[in-house]
Amino acid sequence: MIKGIQRFKNSPAVLKISEFIGSRWFPVALAGVILLCYYLGWDMVMIWFVAICSVGILTTCRDTTPAFVIFLFMNIIISMKNTPSPLGAQSDYFIRPEIYGQVAAAICMCVAFLVARNVYDVITKKFRPSPMFYGICALCAAFLLNGAFTPEYTAMNAAYGLFLSAVFVCIYLLITCNVKPDKLTYQKVAYYCCVFSAVLAVELIVAYCTYDGLFVDGKANRGKLFFGWGMYNTIGMLLCVCIPAWFYLAVTRKNGFIYTFFGLANVAFAYMTMSRQSIIGAFVVGIVCIVWLLICRGGRDRLINLCIVAAVAVAAAAVIAVNLEVIKNYILDMLGNIEEGGNRLMLWKRAMEDFAKAPLFGVGFYYLKDLDAGFVGLEIIPKMYHSTLFQMLGACGAAGLAAYAVHRVQTIISLFKNMSLGRIYIAITAGTLLIISLFDNHIFYIFPTFIYVGFLGLFKATEGDFQSHPIRIKLFSKR
């Protein structure tokens, strides 16, 4: 069987498909299809196209780095026309038998090929257990035990824990076993993020130009900022995750100052989402990336980058001056909401109270049935405490929080094993998602989970890579 698979991989047709998937045109093609189908409401065309691309990666690519294209774009595959959310059309599209049957078939097809690829990797001894993998297993055990031995425990607790565990293990295996760690790998992933951020920017600009009621009487109404696949917090998080990619390319590519400009534009788009958590995330990651860039690029490039940062700052100040009243009203409204807790403080207090009820394994993911804190339009996703730390504490108890702490320490240790520029880029990107998730539960919301675990797998796969711009050699070099 192994020889048959090898012959299949070496066939001319498969090599051609693999070559296209690994090219720069694959994410562009997917982006074009996604945008076209989003605005035409062709959701099933979009879903089948993504599913076929996924199978193509799993069956033809020796290096599965292009899987990151899928991890990113799968977040935005529900159109405004067919969204089940009451924030949008509240359509019955996805509960029609002819539609949910196709969705189930597409998902099952992708899962079958993913599991087959994982099994093949284990059989061919590509997979080697490591402390990080054992830490993930401990985290998965905490997911599976969420709410165990409580009166409110249901089959959904086990199902959701099993789902999260399957995503963590399967995606981790896919990336760690099949990604070739070199500088091109990091550049590809960064390029994918840049293309993805461009699509997000297009949808955001169109929303600003066409949505009614977004600005009324000098006041911003961010509740109107909805995209079918998510609200302002969702697009804000996704834009923040893309910011480090531009700066990594600015650090490592010739004439990288071009990417500096687009990186700052990406920060501006994150601010335009009006998501408080994303504004905090964009501010933090923006400062980190600018400092990182100015340290790593010396001489003429450093001067050009400083000029670009200064010019963008002046332009931003001019925009603020022109729209001062709207921005002032929005900031006052945002500060007032923070003062009231924005519902977050109540949820965090509730998490501590629920932890006291079941300190070992928590009350489970589906305990918060009485709160308006769920994933609007998709009730299968449980209501959560809007913070990764409090979620682990309340839903999974001391066992879950301890497993998460061990997992977090292991990723920090992994970073110091190899401080290359590429791995620092990965760390900043994952760190951005984690910072934002201190105020939300993005890494437990299914689609963003794939992004997080994908970067986690890449982080592990590159522990021994000392060829991709080692920080000890290149950090203070003049380019």
Side-chain angles (χ1 to χ4, degrees), residues 1-302:
M1 184 180 72
I2 301 298
K3 290 182 179 179
I5 293 175
Q6 292 296 337
R7 283 197 299 270
F8 170 77
K9 286 186 174 182
N10 291 324
S11 63
V14 168
L15 291 175
K16 284 290 184 182
I17 294 172
S18 177
E19 181 182 354
F20 171 72
I21 292 174
S23 73
R24 68 180 62 185
W25 301 112
F26 172 61
V28 174
L30 186 57
V33 172
I34 291 283
L35 273 175
L36 179 66
C37 293
Y38 176 78
Y39 286 111
L40 292 177
W42 295 352
D43 291 46
M44 279 315 307
V45 174
M46 191 169 5
I47 290 170
W48 275 116
F49 188 77
V50 171
I52 291 169
C53 289
S54 302
V55 172
I57 293 168
L58 292 169
T59 55
T60 68
C61 294
R62 289 181 171 86
D63 184 340
T64 56
T65 302
F68 281 90
V69 180
I70 304 299
F71 300 159
L72 293 167
F73 279 97
M74 68 191 300
N75 286 267
I76 59 172
I77 58 174
I78 299 178
S79 69
M80 280 289 287
K81 179 181 178 180
N82 297 315
T83 181
S85 174
L87 297 176
Q90 201 170 3
S91 170
D92 67 345
Y93 182 81
F94 285 101
I95 60 174
R96 300 173 193 168
E98 69 275 16
I99 299 300
Y100 70 67
Q102 291 187 68
V103 173
I107 292 173
C108 289
M109 181 179 72
C110 293
V111 170
F113 280 98
L114 174 60
V115 172
R117 182 67 181 249
N118 288 156
V119 171
Y120 174 78
D121 292 335
V122 172
I123 291 174
T124 54
K125 299 181 180 180
K126 287 185 178 181
F127 171 65
R128 296 178 182 178
S130 64
M132 186 179 289
F133 176 72
Y134 294 132
I136 289 175
C137 289
L139 194 61
C140 291
F143 292 154
L144 291 169
L145 290 170
N146 78 93
F149 310 115
T150 60
E152 294 81 10
Y153 185 83
T154 68
M156 286 302 296
N157 290 71
Y160 201 75
L162 182 62
F163 170 79
L164 286 176
S165 300
V167 172
F168 267 77
V169 172
C170 291
I171 301 303
Y172 179 82
L173 289 180
L174 177 68
I175 300 302
T176 55
C177 295
N178 297 286
V179 167
K180 297 176 181 178
D182 56 39
K183 65 181 180 181
L184 290 179
T185 298
Y186 304 115
Q187 290 182 2
K188 279 185 176 181
V189 174
Y191 172 67
Y192 299 155
C193 289
C194 292
V195 174
F196 182 58
S197 71
V199 173
L200 295 175
V202 168
E203 294 195 12
L204 185 61
I205 291 171
V206 170
Y208 262 73
C209 294
T210 61
Y211 283 15
D212 294 328
L214 194 56
F215 297 95
V216 179
D217 297 328
K219 291 186 177 181
N221 182 10
R222 62 178 184 165
K224 293 287 185 178
L225 207 56
F226 180 75
F227 297 90
W229 44 263
M231 56 195 297
Y232 51 87
N233 280 337
T234 313
I235 189 171
M237 175 272 296
L238 293 172
L239 280 165
C240 285
V241 166
C242 296
I243 291 171
W246 294 103
F247 286 94
Y248 171 69
L249 294 176
V251 168
T252 58
R253 298 294 294 271
K254 185 178 180 181
N255 297 323
F257 48 82
I258 297 172
Y259 299 101
T260 302
F261 174 79
F262 287 109
L264 294 171
N266 199 151
V267 172
F269 282 122
Y271 272 72
M272 287 172 60
T273 65
M274 296 183 281
S275 164
R276 288 166 300 175
Q277 56 190 252
S278 301
I279 289 171
I280 294 172
F283 176 78
V284 173
V285 72
I287 294 297
V288 169
C289 287
I290 289 170
V291 172
W292 182 41
L293 172 64
L294 295 178
I295 290 175
C296 295
R297 297 300 294 247
R300 166 180 167 271
D301 288 337
R302 180 176 294 160

Side-chain angles (χ1 to χ4, degrees), residues 322-357:
V322 172
N323 300 280
L324 185 60
E325 193 63 29
V326 174
I327 294 173
K328 179 183 175 182
N329 290 335
Y330 175 71
I331 291 175
L332 290 174
D333 180 63
M334 182 176 65
L335 291 175
N337 198 277
I338 290 175
E339 199 173 281
E340 296 168 4
N343 211 32
R344 297 295 194 277
L345 296 180
M346 181 271 290
L347 287 170
W348 298 346
K349 182 180 178 182
R350 176 67 182 270
M352 296 175 69
E353 293 172 353
D354 291 344
F355 167 70
K357 297 174 185 177

Side-chain angles (χ1 to χ4, degrees), residues 296-311:
C296 295
R297 297 300 294 247
R300 166 180 167 271
D301 288 337
R302 180 176 294 160
L303 179 61
I304 293 175
N305 284 317
L306 278 171
C307 291
I308 291 173
V309 172

Side-chain angles (χ1 to χ4, degrees), residues 333-410:
D333 180 63
M334 182 176 65
L335 291 175
N337 198 277
I338 290 175
E339 199 173 281
E340 296 168 4
N343 211 32
R344 297 295 194 277
L345 296 180
M346 181 271 290
L347 287 170
W348 298 346
K349 182 180 178 182
R350 176 67 182 270
M352 296 175 69
E353 293 172 353
D354 291 344
F355 167 70
K357 297 174 185 177
L360 185 55
F361 298 122
V363 294
F365 282 108
Y366 287 88
Y367 187 76
L368 293 178
K369 298 176 182 178
D370 59 319
L371 297 177
D372 184 21
F375 199 90
V376 179
L378 198 56
E379 298 302 325
I380 193 173
I381 301 178
K383 298 177 180 180
M384 300 192 187
Y385 298 105
H386 278 58
S387 171
T388 301
L389 297 178
F390 285 104
Q391 186 63 38
M392 295 304 298
L393 183 69
C396 300
L401 191 61
Y404 183 77
V406 170
H407 170 62
R408 195 78 294 123
V409 169
Q410 286 177 329

